[in-house]
Amino acid sequence: MRFKLIVAMVEDELTDAILEAARHAGSTGATVINNARGEGLKKAHGIFGMEITAQRDMLLFLAEEHRSRHILEAIAQVGEFDETPGTGIAFQLDVEDAVGVKSQIKSLSESSD
């Protein structure tokens, strides 16, 4: 079985909605890393010229290859990444090998039967 790693950097208030959308799209779980920091092309400055950095969450999904694009599209739709600049990004990477996913493989095999 081949896997993809989907990485999403999202505004923390969108995390729960994106996790729910990913689950409905076929995700079997995720890892959430809180307090990530992101910067766009231009740094945002507030009062007195101080730099503003919004909190982000990093969401990691190890997804079966055939489901990964569907999950990625669901994440992008809920996060409105293309419609609203600065809300986040998501991308997927090939996973060469993985261990500790035996139960996920079993669950995926049973759901495709």
Side-chain angles (χ1 to χ4, degrees), residues 15-75:
T15 297
D16 290 336
I18 288 174
L19 290 171
E20 185 67 24
R23 185 165 303 281
H24 284 299
S27 172
T28 57
T31 298
V32 178
I33 301 173
N34 294 313
N35 299 318
R37 189 182 73 140
E39 290 186 9
L41 291 174
K42 297 179 182 177
K43 291 184 179 186
H45 295 281
I47 193 165
F48 304 119
M50 295 177 60
E51 186 178 328
I52 299 171
T53 54
Q55 177 181 333
R56 302 265 186 240
D57 287 341
M58 180 186 292
L59 312 179
L60 305 173
F61 303 88
L62 187 62
E64 199 274 326
E65 183 177 44
H66 294 96
R67 297 176 183 213
S68 64
R69 182 64 193 183
H70 187 63
I71 295 167
L72 185 66
E73 289 171 356
I75 289 168

Side-chain angles (χ1 to χ4, degrees), residues 1 3 62 98-110:
M1 190 168 281
F3 290 95
L62 187 62
V99 295
V101 293
K102 192 174 190 177
S103 63
Q104 186 176 8
I105 291 172
K106 182 179 177 185
S107 173
L108 290 169
S109 297
E110 289 171 357

